Each structure stands twice: as C-alpha cells, then as structure tokens.
Coordinates of all heavy atoms in Angstrom, one line a residue:
M23 N 5.7 11.5 3.8 CA 5.4 11.7 2.4 C 3.9 11.9 2.3 O 3.1 11.3 3.0 CB 5.7 10.4 1.6 CG 7.1 10.3 1.3 SD 7.5 8.8 0.3 CE 6.9 9.3 -1.3
N24 N 3.5 12.9 1.5 CA 2.1 13.1 1.3 C 1.5 12.2 0.2 O 2.2 11.4 -0.4 CB 1.9 14.6 0.9 CG 2.5 15.0 -0.4 OD1 2.8 14.1 -1.2 ND2 2.7 16.3 -0.6
Q25 N 0.2 12.3 0.1 CA -0.5 11.4 -0.8 C 0.0 11.5 -2.3 O 0.1 10.5 -3.0 CB -2.0 11.6 -0.7 CG -2.8 10.6 -1.5 CD -2.6 9.2 -1.0 OE1 -2.4 9.0 0.2 NE2 -2.7 8.2 -1.9
I26 N 0.3 12.7 -2.7 CA 0.7 12.9 -4.1 C 2.1 12.2 -4.4 O 2.2 11.6 -5.4 CB 0.8 14.4 -4.4 CG1 -0.6 15.0 -4.4 CG2 1.5 14.7 -5.7 CD1 -0.6 16.5 -4.4
S27 N 3.0 12.4 -3.4 CA 4.3 11.7 -3.6 C 4.2 10.2 -3.6 O 4.9 9.5 -4.3 CB 5.3 12.3 -2.6 OG 4.9 12.0 -1.3
K28 N 3.4 9.7 -2.7 CA 3.2 8.2 -2.6 C 2.6 7.7 -3.9 O 3.0 6.7 -4.4 CB 2.2 7.9 -1.5 CG 2.9 8.0 -0.1 CD 1.9 7.6 1.0 CE 2.5 7.9 2.3 NZ 1.5 7.6 3.4
E29 N 1.6 8.4 -4.5 CA 1.0 8.0 -5.7 C 2.0 8.0 -6.9 O 2.0 7.1 -7.7 CB -0.2 8.9 -6.0 CG -1.0 8.5 -7.2 CD -2.2 9.4 -7.5 OE1 -2.7 10.1 -6.5 OE2 -2.6 9.5 -8.6
Y30 N 2.8 9.1 -6.9 CA 3.8 9.2 -7.9 C 4.8 8.0 -7.9 O 5.1 7.4 -8.9 CB 4.6 10.5 -7.7 CG 5.7 10.8 -8.8 CD1 5.4 11.1 -10.1 CD2 7.0 10.7 -8.4 CE1 6.4 11.3 -11.0 CE2 8.0 11.0 -9.3 CZ 7.7 11.3 -10.6 OH 8.7 11.5 -11.5
V31 N 5.3 7.7 -6.7 CA 6.3 6.6 -6.5 C 5.6 5.3 -6.9 O 6.2 4.4 -7.5 CB 6.9 6.6 -5.1 CG1 7.7 5.3 -4.9 CG2 7.7 7.8 -4.9
N32 N 4.4 5.1 -6.5 CA 3.7 3.9 -6.8 C 3.5 3.7 -8.3 O 3.5 2.6 -8.8 CB 2.3 3.8 -6.1 CG 2.5 3.5 -4.6 OD1 3.4 2.9 -4.2 ND2 1.5 3.9 -3.8
K33 N 3.2 4.8 -9.0 CA 3.1 4.7 -10.5 C 4.4 4.2 -11.1 O 4.4 3.4 -12.0 CB 2.6 6.0 -11.1 CG 1.2 6.4 -10.8 CD 0.9 7.7 -11.5 CE -0.6 8.0 -11.4 NZ -1.0 9.2 -12.1
I34 N 5.5 4.8 -10.6 CA 6.8 4.4 -11.1 C 7.0 2.9 -10.8 O 7.5 2.1 -11.7 CB 7.9 5.3 -10.5 CG1 7.7 6.7 -11.1 CG2 9.3 4.7 -10.9 CD1 8.6 7.7 -10.4
K35 N 6.7 2.5 -9.6 CA 7.0 1.1 -9.2 C 6.2 0.1 -10.0 O 6.7 -1.0 -10.4 CB 6.6 1.0 -7.7 CG 6.9 -0.3 -7.1 CD 6.6 -0.3 -5.6 CE 6.9 -1.7 -5.0 NZ 6.6 -1.7 -3.5
M36 N 5.0 0.5 -10.4 CA 4.1 -0.4 -11.2 C 4.7 -0.6 -12.6 O 4.4 -1.6 -13.3 CB 2.7 0.1 -11.3 CG 2.0 0.0 -10.0 SD 0.2 0.6 -10.1 CE 0.0 1.2 -11.7
L37 N 5.5 0.3 -13.1 CA 6.0 0.3 -14.5 C 7.3 -0.6 -14.6 O 7.6 -1.0 -15.7 CB 6.3 1.7 -15.0 CG 5.1 2.5 -15.2 CD1 5.6 3.9 -15.6 CD2 4.2 1.9 -16.3
F38 N 7.9 -1.0 -13.5 CA 9.1 -1.8 -13.6 C 8.6 -3.3 -13.9 O 7.8 -3.8 -13.2 CB 9.8 -1.8 -12.2 CG 10.8 -0.7 -12.1 CD1 10.5 0.5 -11.5 CD2 12.1 -0.8 -12.6 CE1 11.3 1.5 -11.4 CE2 13.0 0.2 -12.5 CZ 12.6 1.4 -11.9
P39 N 9.2 -3.8 -14.9 CA 8.8 -5.2 -15.3 C 9.4 -6.3 -14.3 O 8.8 -7.3 -14.2 CB 9.4 -5.4 -16.7 CG 10.5 -4.4 -16.8 CD 10.1 -3.3 -15.9
V40 N 10.5 -6.0 -13.7 CA 11.1 -6.8 -12.7 C 11.5 -6.0 -11.5 O 11.7 -4.8 -11.6 CB 12.3 -7.6 -13.2 CG1 12.0 -8.5 -14.3 CG2 13.4 -6.6 -13.7
M41 N 11.6 -6.7 -10.3 CA 11.9 -5.9 -9.1 C 13.0 -6.7 -8.4 O 12.7 -7.6 -7.6 CB 10.7 -5.8 -8.2 CG 10.9 -4.8 -7.1 SD 11.3 -3.1 -7.5 CE 9.9 -2.6 -8.4
G42 N 14.2 -6.4 -8.7 CA 15.4 -6.9 -8.1 C 16.0 -6.0 -7.0 O 15.4 -4.9 -6.8
N43 N 17.1 -6.3 -6.5 CA 17.7 -5.5 -5.5 C 18.1 -4.1 -6.0 O 18.0 -3.1 -5.3 CB 19.0 -6.1 -4.9 CG 18.6 -7.3 -4.0 OD1 17.5 -7.3 -3.4 ND2 19.5 -8.3 -3.9
S44 N 18.6 -4.1 -7.3 CA 19.0 -2.8 -7.9 C 17.8 -1.9 -8.0 O 17.9 -0.7 -7.8 CB 19.6 -3.0 -9.2 OG 20.8 -3.8 -9.1
E45 N 16.7 -2.4 -8.5 CA 15.4 -1.7 -8.7 C 14.9 -1.2 -7.3 O 14.5 0.0 -7.2 CB 14.4 -2.5 -9.4 CG 14.7 -2.7 -10.8 CD 15.7 -3.9 -11.1 OE1 15.9 -4.7 -10.1 OE2 16.2 -4.0 -12.2
R46 N 15.0 -2.0 -6.3 CA 14.5 -1.6 -5.0 C 15.3 -0.4 -4.4 O 14.8 0.5 -3.9 CB 14.5 -2.8 -4.0 CG 13.4 -3.7 -4.2 CD 13.4 -4.8 -3.1 NE 12.5 -5.9 -3.5 CZ 12.9 -7.0 -4.1 NH1 14.2 -7.2 -4.5 NH2 12.0 -7.9 -4.5
Q47 N 16.7 -0.5 -4.6 CA 17.5 0.5 -4.2 C 17.3 1.8 -4.9 O 17.3 2.9 -4.3 CB 19.0 0.1 -4.3 CG 20.0 1.1 -3.7 CD 19.8 1.3 -2.3 OE1 19.6 0.3 -1.5 NE2 19.9 2.5 -1.8
Y48 N 17.1 1.7 -6.2 CA 16.8 2.9 -7.0 C 15.5 3.5 -6.6 O 15.4 4.8 -6.4 CB 16.7 2.5 -8.5 CG 16.3 3.6 -9.4 CD1 17.3 4.5 -9.8 CD2 15.0 3.8 -9.9 CE1 16.9 5.6 -10.7 CE2 14.7 4.8 -10.8 CZ 15.6 5.7 -11.1 OH 15.3 6.7 -12.0
L49 N 14.5 2.7 -6.3 CA 13.2 3.3 -5.9 C 13.3 3.9 -4.5 O 12.7 4.9 -4.2 CB 12.1 2.2 -5.8 CG 11.6 1.8 -7.2 CD1 10.6 0.6 -7.1 CD2 10.8 3.0 -7.8
K50 N 14.1 3.3 -3.6 CA 14.4 3.9 -2.3 C 15.0 5.2 -2.4 O 14.6 6.2 -1.7 CB 15.2 2.9 -1.5 CG 15.5 3.4 -0.1 CD 16.3 2.4 0.7 CE 16.6 2.8 2.1 NZ 17.5 1.9 2.8
N51 N 16.0 5.4 -3.2 CA 16.7 6.7 -3.4 C 15.7 7.7 -4.0 O 15.7 8.8 -3.6 CB 17.9 6.5 -4.3 CG 19.0 5.7 -3.6 OD1 19.0 5.6 -2.4 ND2 19.9 5.1 -4.4
L52 N 15.0 7.2 -5.0 CA 14.0 8.1 -5.7 C 12.9 8.6 -4.7 O 12.6 9.8 -4.6 CB 13.3 7.4 -6.8 CG 12.3 8.2 -7.6 CD1 12.9 9.4 -8.3 CD2 11.5 7.4 -8.5
K53 N 12.5 7.7 -3.8 CA 11.5 8.0 -2.8 C 12.0 9.1 -1.9 O 11.3 10.0 -1.5 CB 11.1 6.7 -2.1 CG 9.9 6.9 -1.1 CD 9.6 5.5 -0.5 CE 8.4 5.6 0.4 NZ 8.1 4.3 1.0
N54 N 13.2 8.9 -1.5 CA 13.8 9.9 -0.6 C 14.0 11.3 -1.3 O 13.7 12.3 -0.7 CB 15.2 9.5 -0.1 CG 15.1 8.3 0.9 OD1 14.1 8.2 1.6 ND2 16.2 7.5 1.0
S55 N 14.3 11.3 -2.5 CA 14.4 12.5 -3.3 C 13.1 13.2 -3.5 O 12.9 14.4 -3.3 CB 15.0 12.3 -4.7 OG 16.3 11.8 -4.6
V56 N 12.0 12.4 -3.8 CA 10.7 12.9 -3.9 C 10.2 13.5 -2.6 O 9.6 14.5 -2.5 CB 9.7 11.8 -4.4 CG1 8.3 12.3 -4.4 CG2 10.1 11.5 -5.9
K57 N 10.5 12.8 -1.5 CA 10.1 13.2 -0.2 C 10.7 14.6 0.2 O 10.0 15.5 0.6 CB 10.5 12.2 0.9 CG 10.1 12.5 2.3 CD 10.6 11.4 3.2 CE 10.3 11.8 4.7 NZ 10.8 10.8 5.6
D58 N 12.0 14.7 -0.1 CA 12.7 16.0 0.1 C 12.1 17.1 -0.7 O 11.9 18.2 -0.2 CB 14.2 15.8 -0.2 CG 14.9 15.0 0.8 OD1 14.4 14.7 1.9 OD2 16.0 14.5 0.5
C59 N 11.8 16.8 -2.0 CA 11.2 17.8 -2.8 C 9.8 18.2 -2.3 O 9.5 19.4 -2.3 CB 11.1 17.2 -4.3 SG 10.3 18.3 -5.4
C60 N 9.1 17.3 -1.9 CA 7.7 17.6 -1.4 C 7.8 18.4 -0.1 O 6.9 19.2 0.2 CB 6.9 16.3 -1.2 SG 6.4 15.6 -2.7
E61 N 8.8 18.1 0.8 CA 8.9 18.9 2.0 C 9.3 20.3 1.8 O 8.8 21.2 2.5 CB 10.0 18.2 2.9 CG 9.5 16.9 3.5 CD 10.6 16.2 4.3 OE1 11.7 16.7 4.3 OE2 10.3 15.2 4.9
N62 N 10.1 20.5 0.7 CA 10.5 21.9 0.4 C 9.5 22.7 -0.4 O 9.3 23.9 -0.2 CB 11.8 21.9 -0.4 CG 13.0 21.3 0.4 OD1 13.0 21.4 1.6 ND2 13.9 20.7 -0.3
K63 N 8.8 22.1 -1.3 CA 7.9 22.8 -2.2 C 6.4 22.5 -2.0 O 5.6 23.3 -2.5 CB 8.3 22.5 -3.6 CG 9.7 22.9 -3.9 CD 10.0 22.7 -5.4 CE 11.5 23.1 -5.6 NZ 11.9 22.8 -6.9
E64 N 6.0 21.5 -1.2 CA 4.7 21.2 -0.9 C 3.7 21.3 -2.1 O 2.9 22.2 -2.3 CB 4.1 22.1 0.2 CG 4.9 22.0 1.5 CD 4.4 22.9 2.6 OE1 3.2 23.4 2.4 OE2 5.1 23.1 3.5
P65 N 3.9 20.3 -3.0 CA 3.1 20.3 -4.3 C 1.6 20.1 -4.0 O 1.2 19.3 -3.1 CB 3.7 19.2 -5.1 CG 4.2 18.2 -4.1 CD 4.7 19.1 -2.9
D66 N 0.8 20.7 -4.8 CA -0.7 20.4 -4.7 C -1.2 19.5 -5.9 O -2.3 19.1 -5.9 CB -1.5 21.7 -4.7 CG -1.2 22.6 -5.9 OD1 -0.2 22.3 -6.7 OD2 -1.9 23.6 -6.1
S67 N -0.3 19.2 -6.8 CA -0.6 18.2 -7.9 C 0.7 17.6 -8.3 O 1.8 18.0 -7.9 CB -1.2 18.9 -9.1 OG -0.3 19.7 -9.7
M68 N 0.6 16.6 -9.1 CA 1.8 15.8 -9.6 C 2.6 16.6 -10.7 O 3.7 16.2 -11.0 CB 1.4 14.5 -10.2 CG 1.4 13.4 -9.1 SD 1.4 11.8 -9.9 CE 0.0 11.1 -8.9
D69 N 2.1 17.7 -11.1 CA 2.8 18.5 -12.1 C 4.2 18.9 -11.7 O 5.1 18.9 -12.5 CB 2.0 19.7 -12.5 CG 0.7 19.3 -13.3 OD1 0.7 18.3 -13.9 OD2 -0.3 20.1 -13.3
L70 N 4.3 19.3 -10.4 CA 5.6 19.7 -9.9 C 6.6 18.5 -9.9 O 7.7 18.6 -10.3 CB 5.5 20.2 -8.5 CG 6.8 20.5 -7.8 CD1 7.5 21.7 -8.5 CD2 6.6 20.8 -6.3
L71 N 6.1 17.3 -9.6 CA 6.9 16.1 -9.6 C 7.3 15.8 -11.0 O 8.4 15.3 -11.3 CB 6.2 15.0 -8.9 CG 5.9 15.2 -7.4 CD1 5.2 14.0 -6.8 CD2 7.2 15.4 -6.6
Y72 N 6.4 15.9 -11.9 CA 6.7 15.7 -13.3 C 7.7 16.6 -13.8 O 8.6 16.2 -14.6 CB 5.4 15.8 -14.2 CG 4.4 14.6 -14.0 CD1 3.2 14.7 -14.7 CD2 4.7 13.5 -13.3 CE1 2.3 13.7 -14.6 CE2 3.8 12.5 -13.2 CZ 2.6 12.6 -13.8 OH 1.7 11.6 -13.7
Q73 N 7.7 17.9 -13.4 CA 8.7 18.8 -13.8 C 10.1 18.5 -13.2 O 11.1 18.7 -13.8 CB 8.3 20.3 -13.4 CG 7.1 20.8 -14.2 CD 6.6 22.1 -13.7 OE1 7.1 22.7 -12.7 NE2 5.5 22.6 -14.3
E74 N 10.1 18.1 -11.9 CA 11.3 17.9 -11.2 C 12.0 16.6 -11.7 O 13.2 16.5 -11.9 CB 11.1 17.8 -9.7 CG 10.7 19.2 -9.1 CD 11.9 20.1 -9.0 OE1 13.0 19.7 -8.8 OE2 11.7 21.3 -9.2
F75 N 11.2 15.5 -11.8 CA 11.7 14.2 -12.0 C 11.4 13.6 -13.3 O 12.0 12.6 -13.8 CB 11.3 13.2 -10.9 CG 11.7 13.7 -9.5 CD1 10.8 14.3 -8.7 CD2 13.0 13.4 -9.0 CE1 11.2 14.7 -7.4 CE2 13.3 13.9 -7.8 CZ 12.4 14.5 -7.0
G76 N 10.3 14.0 -14.0 CA 9.8 13.5 -15.2 C 8.6 12.6 -15.0 O 8.2 12.3 -13.8
T77 N 7.9 12.2 -16.0 CA 6.8 11.4 -15.9 C 7.3 10.0 -15.4 O 8.4 9.7 -15.6 CB 6.1 11.2 -17.3 OG1 6.9 10.5 -18.2 CG2 5.6 12.5 -17.8
P78 N 6.4 9.2 -14.9 CA 6.8 7.8 -14.5 C 7.5 7.0 -15.6 O 8.4 6.3 -15.3 CB 5.5 7.2 -14.0 CG 4.7 8.3 -13.5 CD 5.0 9.5 -14.5
E79 N 6.9 7.2 -16.8 CA 7.5 6.5 -17.9 C 8.9 6.9 -18.2 O 9.8 6.1 -18.5 CB 6.7 6.6 -19.2 CG 5.3 6.0 -19.1 CD 4.2 6.8 -18.4 OE1 4.5 8.0 -18.0 OE2 3.1 6.3 -18.2
D80 N 9.2 8.2 -18.1 CA 10.5 8.8 -18.3 C 11.5 8.3 -17.2 O 12.6 8.0 -17.6 CB 10.4 10.3 -18.3 CG 9.7 10.9 -19.5 OD1 9.6 10.2 -20.5 OD2 9.3 12.1 -19.3
V81 N 11.0 8.2 -16.0 CA 11.9 7.8 -14.9 C 12.3 6.3 -15.1 O 13.5 6.0 -15.0 CB 11.2 7.9 -13.6 CG1 12.0 7.3 -12.4 CG2 10.9 9.4 -13.3
V82 N 11.4 5.5 -15.5 CA 11.7 4.1 -15.7 C 12.6 3.9 -17.0 O 13.6 3.2 -16.9 CB 10.4 3.2 -15.8 CG1 10.8 1.8 -16.2 CG2 9.7 3.2 -14.5
N83 N 12.3 4.6 -18.0 CA 13.2 4.6 -19.2 C 14.6 5.1 -18.9 O 15.6 4.5 -19.4 CB 12.6 5.5 -20.3 CG 11.4 4.8 -21.0 OD1 11.3 3.6 -21.0 ND2 10.5 5.6 -21.6
S84 N 14.7 6.1 -18.1 CA 16.0 6.6 -17.7 C 16.8 5.6 -16.9 O 18.0 5.4 -17.1 CB 15.8 7.9 -16.9 OG 17.1 8.3 -16.4
Y85 N 16.1 4.9 -16.0 CA 16.7 3.8 -15.3 C 17.3 2.7 -16.2 O 18.5 2.3 -16.0 CB 15.8 3.2 -14.2 CG 16.3 2.0 -13.6 CD1 17.2 2.1 -12.5 CD2 16.0 0.7 -13.9 CE1 17.8 1.0 -11.9 CE2 16.5 -0.4 -13.3 CZ 17.4 -0.2 -12.3 OH 18.0 -1.3 -11.7
F86 N 16.5 2.3 -17.1 CA 16.9 1.2 -17.9 C 18.0 1.6 -19.0 O 18.9 0.9 -19.4 CB 15.8 0.5 -18.6 CG 15.1 -0.5 -17.7 CD1 13.8 -0.2 -17.3 CD2 15.7 -1.6 -17.2 CE1 13.1 -1.0 -16.4 CE2 15.0 -2.5 -16.4 CZ 13.8 -2.2 -15.9
N87 N 17.9 2.9 -19.4 CA 18.9 3.4 -20.3 C 20.3 3.5 -19.6 O 21.3 3.4 -20.3 CB 18.5 4.8 -20.8 CG 17.5 4.7 -21.9 OD1 17.3 3.6 -22.5 ND2 16.7 5.7 -22.1
S88 N 20.3 3.7 -18.3 CA 21.6 3.9 -17.6 C 22.0 2.5 -17.0 O 23.2 2.4 -16.5 CB 21.4 4.9 -16.5 OG 20.5 4.4 -15.5
S89 N 21.2 1.5 -17.1 CA 21.6 0.2 -16.6 C 22.5 -0.6 -17.6 O 22.5 -0.3 -18.8 CB 20.4 -0.7 -16.3 OG 19.6 -0.1 -15.3
D90 N 23.2 -1.5 -17.1 CA 24.1 -2.4 -17.9 C 23.2 -3.3 -18.7 O 22.3 -4.0 -18.2 CB 25.0 -3.2 -17.0 CG 26.0 -4.1 -17.7 OD1 26.5 -3.6 -18.8 OD2 26.3 -5.2 -17.2
I91 N 23.5 -3.5 -20.0 CA 22.7 -4.3 -20.9 C 22.7 -5.7 -20.5 O 21.7 -6.4 -20.6 CB 23.2 -4.1 -22.3 CG1 22.2 -4.7 -23.3 CG2 24.5 -4.7 -22.6 CD1 20.9 -4.0 -23.4
D92 N 23.9 -6.2 -19.9 CA 23.9 -7.6 -19.5 C 23.0 -7.9 -18.3 O 22.4 -8.9 -18.2 CB 25.4 -8.0 -19.1 CG 26.3 -8.0 -20.3 OD1 25.8 -8.3 -21.4 OD2 27.5 -7.7 -20.2
Y93 N 22.9 -6.9 -17.4 CA 22.0 -7.0 -16.3 C 20.6 -7.1 -16.8 O 19.8 -7.9 -16.3 CB 22.2 -5.9 -15.3 CG 21.1 -5.8 -14.2 CD1 21.2 -6.7 -13.2 CD2 20.1 -4.9 -14.3 CE1 20.2 -6.7 -12.2 CE2 19.1 -4.9 -13.3 CZ 19.2 -5.8 -12.3 OH 18.2 -5.8 -11.3
I94 N 20.2 -6.2 -17.7 CA 18.8 -6.2 -18.2 C 18.5 -7.5 -18.9 O 17.4 -8.1 -18.7 CB 18.7 -5.0 -19.2 CG1 18.8 -3.7 -18.4 CG2 17.3 -5.1 -19.9 CD1 18.9 -2.5 -19.3
I95 N 19.4 -8.0 -19.7 CA 19.2 -9.3 -20.4 C 19.0 -10.5 -19.4 O 18.1 -11.3 -19.6 CB 20.3 -9.6 -21.4 CG1 20.2 -8.6 -22.5 CG2 20.2 -11.0 -21.9 CD1 21.4 -8.6 -23.5
S96 N 19.8 -10.4 -18.4 CA 19.7 -11.5 -17.4 C 18.4 -11.5 -16.6 O 18.0 -12.5 -16.1 CB 20.9 -11.5 -16.4 OG 20.8 -10.4 -15.6
R97 N 17.8 -10.3 -16.4 CA 16.6 -10.2 -15.7 C 15.4 -10.6 -16.6 O 14.4 -10.9 -16.2 CB 16.4 -8.8 -15.1 CG 17.5 -8.4 -14.2 CD 17.7 -9.2 -13.0 NE 16.6 -8.9 -12.1 CZ 16.3 -9.6 -11.0 NH1 16.9 -10.7 -10.8 NH2 15.3 -9.2 -10.2

C-alpha cells in the first residue's frame, strides 16, 4: 500500500467510535479493496479514493447505516 492509501484507511479508522471484530473485519476488507484500487490506478492524491469509495465520513456512515440497530445499541 502506498502512503495515500494508508492515510485514507487511517482517517476512516479514526472515525469509528468503537472497534469490535465486525469493524476490524470491515476495515480489513476495505483496506484490501483500497490496495487493489491503488495498484490498478496509482493515485497521486486522495481524490481518486474519494471518488471510488467516498469520503471517510461517508464510508463510516455507510457502515453504520448497513449495520443491525441492536448491534449498534449494544456497542
């Protein structure tokens, strides 16, 4: 992974209020997707990642919108 992709994933990771197994697995899958995207397109800025995956805030919001409400409440 290049520096841009690492920074992007770290920004997303910082926005998670809790870090359980589900969140770790989600981030692992996201990290692999970002890595594949960067290998194919070699971005020179985060704009490409924002276009492909969304802003870090959008990614975290999307995760919680697709999560079970009971799981969110329990965390």
Side-chain angles (χ1 to χ4, degrees):
M23 282 180 72
N24 65 18
Q25 187 61 33
I26 294 170
S27 59
K28 286 180 185 178
E29 185 179 338
Y30 179 71
V31 172
N32 284 336
K33 284 183 178 185
I34 294 170
K35 188 176 181 180
M36 288 180 0
L37 291 175
F38 275 93
V40 294
M41 191 59 64
N43 288 334
S44 298
E45 290 80 14
R46 285 187 193 92
Q47 185 61 44
Y48 178 78
L49 284 173
K50 182 179 178 182
N51 293 337
L52 178 67
K53 186 175 181 180
N54 289 334
S55 297
V56 170
K57 181 180 175 184
D58 290 342
C59 178
C60 288
E61 287 175 355
N62 293 333
K63 299 183 180 178
E64 298 180 17
D66 56 350
S67 71
M68 270 197 228
D69 291 336
L70 174 68
L71 297 176
Y72 286 172
Q73 291 173 0
E74 292 287 323
F75 301 100
T77 64
E79 293 83 5
D80 292 340
V81 173
V82 173
N83 285 334
S84 174
Y85 172 79
F86 283 111
N87 285 336
S88 65
S89 295
D90 182 37
I91 191 72
D92 292 331
Y93 171 75
I94 294 170
I95 291 170
S96 70
R97 298 302 281 165

